[in-house]
Amino acid sequence: MRSTFINTLIEMARKNDNIYLLTADIGFSLFERFEKEFGERFINVGISEAAMIGIAAGLAISGKKVFVYSIIPFVTMRCFEQIRVDLCYQNLDVTIVGVGGGLSYSTSGATHQAIEDISIMRSLPNMKVICPADPFETKNAIMQIEDSKGPAYVRLNRNNEPILYNKNSDGFNIGKGIKLIEGSDIAIIATGNMLETAIRVSNKLYEDNISVKLISMHTIKPIDKNLIMECIEETKWIFTLEEHSVYGGLGSAIAEVICSNIYKIIKFKSFAISDVYTDCAGSTTYLRKQYGLDQESIVAEIKNLINTDVIV
Amino acid sequence: MLNNKEIKELSNTAIYIRRKVVAMAYESSSSHVGAALSMVDILTVLYFKRLNISPENFCNPCRDKFILSKGHGASALFAVLAKRGFFDEELLGRYSKNGSLLAGHPKKDSVDGVEVSTGSLGHGLAIGCGFAIVDKSYNRNSKTVVLLGDGECNEGSIWEAAMFASGRNLNNLIGIIDCNKLQGFGKSEEVTGLFPLDTKWKSFGWNVIEINGHDYNEIDRAMMLAYNNEKPTIIIANTIKGRGISFMENKLEWHYKSPNEQEYKLAMKELF
């Protein structure tokens, strides 16, 4: 997805000479082409995330369309107060692109993992929060951000993610979820790097005649309330999938909408990372298993919950 | 060198500004009057002598730009902007009151003349770097001036920006430190290893000028030297917190206190 990001940005920057890309010393073997082609519109500020946000703000006030980049904890948490004051309070046109959503940096330890970012970023007024699931969603998100105003946060995974949409897919809109599969028993709403798992989970449940309405909720803020209401209306269970803490991410955002609009019995469970940092290395597959976020665990838990469900 | 007439005019303007600053603090019972008073002379030279900023050119990208990074000195900035004609002076009477556009710290776009929202310390210098980069890319002659507090230089983000500015040769960026030597909970020299400031900035690659921050000639001359330097310049302006009112000068509590009626009347008597 990071390749898709930079390829898309290069195309955009060729037509829009207000686009600037800032990095906090990250981007080896990724940004060289952008730097070579666009010269002074590429700025490596060094390992100075707070300054990077301030510089981005100054550029944006001066009329530039700015993208800032680093590994998620460093570009969201280290400089969170700068994002809050310089970007959100002033409602500036700066897009924060973070790489390494969830457990993507699985062998690096918790310092490089991002399990709190959706929670904190969506708490900021004026901030849009987008978690693309694949290169298709990434490309569209970045392109649409060019025409939108105000601050935005795009949560990338890493690289070599499979494309989950076929070539004819259209209809990506920031703020509007995508219904991949129509269904009526349960709804599964996934975001970012859990969409791939969600597709496989849905297919597995289909084998057991469970009809799944599958949704990619790529935009956490502003969230697609209408689509959530459709899930409440048409299904009995809503499950959310995210590679993020149980606190404050997709699940919380969906639960907020459900609780504010409840008119019938609806059951809910969020599959997310429990309130614990990883304490070992491993592949993403391995770590997901520790948190119960692998396909088998999710399928088993959903079937268990549905089968023991007693609808009054 | 400023001639006597110019100095007299600046001096009168500064007294006028100080009267407004004290009135704003009294009428709204708000904090920071000491911090605002120490920067009045600097602001007077900037807005009434040196900077190419006016209500007429405020939207012109080729103007000079000013960032009040020590945002808690807002009342002084507002008084200066009003006097300079950016907005109606009547607004000053609503400072910090219900629904007022003038809050305790400056907000971008609240009134003409405020470039950046500040109030949290340590942000302004990096934003100034952003302005300076764009000006350089268009080969403009404009300068960006960022007014910092000495306590504010405790913040690491200032030094990130300082490194960046000198590394990129942003010699169109000028920092001024309102060095009044008192911060939130102690004397600046005692709280942390802030001093010596001059050698720190020099080692970060900046051109350093140290002045009396209440002397108009020194302020003006320092700005002139800063305009013509190869490196970004930091002007360390030695000032007195609460300057202009004898019972406020050099007293930490005037960071927080607002004058009561008696103190207000005494202050007005001293400022004439």
Side-chain angles (χ1 to χ4, degrees):
Chain A
M1 284 165 70
R2 58 189 184 193
S3 312
T4 306
F5 159 64
I6 195 60
N7 291 338
T8 308
L9 197 67
I10 286 173
E11 290 299 316
M12 284 160 50
R14 285 179 180 150
K15 299 178 205 145
N16 181 353
D17 59 11
N18 279 324
I19 288 178
Y20 271 67
L21 174 62
L22 273 53
T23 179
D25 213 34
I26 299 285
F28 177 73
S29 77
L30 189 66
F31 290 159
E32 286 83 350
R33 278 190 308 130
F34 190 100
E35 182 180 21
K36 190 157 184 228
E37 188 166 342
F38 302 109
E40 64 179 20
R41 292 202 266 143
F42 173 79
I43 304 178
N44 178 3
V45 306
I47 313 169
S48 300
E49 292 82 2
M52 178 166 72
I53 300 297
I55 294 163
L59 295 172
I61 295 172
S62 306
K64 303 302 174 187
K65 179 88 190 178
V66 189
F67 292 79
V68 303
Y69 181 95
S70 189
I71 299 175
I72 291 172
F74 315 144
V75 79
T76 57
M77 299 168 203
R78 188 119 196 172
C79 48
F80 184 72
E81 203 246 0
Q82 280 74 23
I83 294 169
R84 172 181 189 260
V85 173
D86 299 347
L87 305 186
C88 293
Y89 184 38
Q90 301 191 113
N91 202 17
L92 295 180
D93 217 351
V94 176
T95 300
I96 296 154
V97 180
V99 68
L103 306 169
S104 301
Y105 281 90
S106 57
T107 54
S108 299
T111 54
H112 285 55
Q113 290 157 13
I115 62 171
E116 315 94 328
D117 54 306
I118 300 175
S119 174
I120 61 170
M121 295 304 274
R122 76 180 186 102
S123 72
L124 294 168
N126 297 323
M127 178 62 76
K128 297 176 271 296
V129 177
I130 305 161
C131 306
D134 78 333
F136 166 82
E137 290 192 357
T138 302
K139 179 175 171 140
N140 279 284
I142 297 296
M143 280 168 46
Q144 284 186 18
I145 277 170
E146 188 182 4
D147 296 325
S148 76
K149 294 269 170 236
Y153 168 53
V154 177
R155 185 198 213 226
L156 302 179
N157 305 319
R158 255 177 118 176
N159 230 357
N160 301 317
E161 292 84 3
I163 297 174
L164 301 173
Y165 293 86
N166 62 45
K167 282 199 177 60
N168 302 322
S169 296
D170 60 7
F172 178 97
N173 288 297
I174 293 174
K176 293 270 170 274
I178 299 175
K179 199 182 337 176
L180 279 78
I181 307 173
E182 188 56 89
S184 55
D185 291 331
I186 68 171
I188 293 179
I189 307 176
T191 194
N193 50 357
M194 286 305 287
L195 182 63
E196 191 194 347
T197 302
I199 292 170
R200 288 192 267 109
V201 165
S202 301
N203 289 337
K204 204 84 181 96
L205 292 171
Y206 178 76
E207 289 171 15
D208 283 315
N209 291 319
I210 297 168
S211 163
V212 176
K213 189 194 290 280
L214 176 61
I215 287 165
S216 169
M217 194 66 83
H218 46 74
T219 308
I220 313 290
K221 184 180 183 185
I223 202 146
D224 188 346
K225 287 198 171 84
N226 288 337
L227 201 44
I228 300 169
M229 292 305 296
E230 184 185 308
C231 294
I232 297 174
E233 167 83 22
E234 296 180 11
T235 71
K236 306 180 197 62
W237 268 93
I238 297 177
F239 295 96
T240 62
L241 266 59
E242 64 196 296
E243 206 172 68
H244 180 276
S245 168
V246 279
Y247 293 125
L250 172 75
S252 297
I254 305 261
E256 285 160 21
V257 174
I258 295 173
C259 290
S260 308
N261 293 282
I262 205 156
Y263 64 90
K264 59 173 257 201
I265 293 174
I266 185 87
K267 305 291 184 75
F268 171 85
K269 179 181 168 62
S270 97
F271 287 95
I273 293 176
S274 49
D275 190 31
V276 176
Y277 290 116
T278 57
D279 60 1
C280 62
S283 65
T284 307
T285 309
Y286 174 81
L287 290 179
R288 282 184 182 177
K289 186 104 181 100
Q290 312 310 305
Y291 284 111
L293 286 178
D294 57 298
Q295 178 202 318
E296 290 75 24
S297 303
I298 295 171
V299 167
E301 178 68 2
I302 290 178
K303 280 160 74 171
N304 179 43
L305 285 167
I306 295 173
N307 290 336
T308 55
D309 194 14
V310 176
I311 300 284
V312 174
Chain B
M1 274 292 284
L2 300 168
N3 62 42
N4 285 337
K5 181 166 176 281
E6 283 170 318
I7 292 184
K8 187 78 187 148
E9 274 169 9
L10 289 169
S11 181
N12 286 340
T13 302
I15 290 173
Y16 180 87
I17 300 297
R18 284 192 161 93
R19 289 177 68 86
K20 288 289 182 193
V21 164
V22 174
M24 288 159 81
Y26 166 61
E27 283 160 21
S28 63
S29 306
S30 58
S31 297
H32 305 135
V33 69
L37 288 170
S38 61
M39 45 182 260
V40 168
D41 299 303
I42 295 166
L43 278 187
T44 303
V45 173
L46 290 177
Y47 275 87
F48 294 94
K49 177 71 176 51
R50 267 285 153 187
L51 292 182
N52 178 23
I53 306 177
S54 68
E56 294 74 38
N57 81 354
F58 187 58
C59 293
N60 186 331
C62 295
R63 71 187 182 285
D64 291 336
K65 295 145 195 83
F66 175 77
I67 299 174
L68 181 62
S69 192
K70 59 166 272 185
H72 54 286
S75 60
L77 177 64
F78 295 149
V80 162
L81 291 175
K83 176 79 174 146
R84 194 68 180 76
F86 280 89
F87 55 84
D88 202 318
E89 283 200 314
E90 237 182 19
L91 264 180
L92 298 179
R94 307 236 0 102
Y95 171 71
S96 290
K97 303 255 171 73
N98 287 341
S100 175
L101 293 169
L102 301 182
H105 300 90
K107 184 178 186 306
K108 181 177 180 306
D109 301 331
S110 57
V111 285
D112 280 354
V114 176
E115 300 270 10
V116 174
S117 298
T118 52
S120 174
L121 298 174
H123 291 240
L125 196 61
I127 298 177
C129 287
F131 288 175
I133 288 170
V134 175
D135 281 346
K136 266 205 187 286
S137 75
Y138 290 112
N139 289 316
R140 296 174 187 148
N141 284 326
S142 21
K143 309 294 175 203
T144 297
V145 178
V146 182
L147 184 56
L148 306 162
D150 52 346
E152 185 177 8
C153 293
N154 292 173
E155 287 283 2
S157 52
I158 293 288
W159 300 99
E160 289 182 19
M163 264 194 288
F164 180 83
S166 63
R168 300 270 165 165
N169 295 315
L170 298 180
N171 64 335
N172 53 345
L173 180 65
I174 300 167
I176 305 177
I177 301 176
D178 174 7
C179 195
N180 61 28
K181 316 232 181 17
L182 291 170
Q183 48 188 86
F185 196 45
K187 293 182 181 166
S188 304
E189 65 184 345
E190 290 173 357
V191 170
T192 190
L194 179 64
F195 297 112
L197 265 180
D198 57 347
T199 47
K200 284 189 176 71
W201 283 92
K202 188 154 183 255
S203 71
F204 271 67
W206 285 58
N207 174 42
V208 180
I209 305 174
E210 198 159 348
I211 60 167
N212 173 352
H214 302 299
D215 183 307
Y216 302 117
N217 261 320
E218 288 194 33
I219 299 167
D220 190 55
R221 184 162 183 277
M223 286 297 294
M224 188 191 69
L225 289 172
Y227 272 42
N228 296 299
N229 208 283
E230 302 279 294
K231 303 181 198 179
T233 296
I234 192 81
I235 300 170
I236 301 175
N238 290 306
T239 57
I240 297 169
K241 194 151 188 156
R243 169 70 164 193
I245 291 131
S246 59
F247 55 88
M248 289 186 185
E249 287 193 1
N250 230 7
K251 300 253 173 53
L252 192 148
E253 65 257 33
W254 286 103
H255 183 89
Y256 299 101
K257 274 178 61 165
S258 57
N260 58 33
E261 191 182 349
Q262 192 197 13
E263 287 160 337
Y264 171 65
K265 285 180 176 159
L266 278 171
M268 289 297 120
K269 276 206 186 107
E270 291 192 18
L271 295 169
F272 65 91

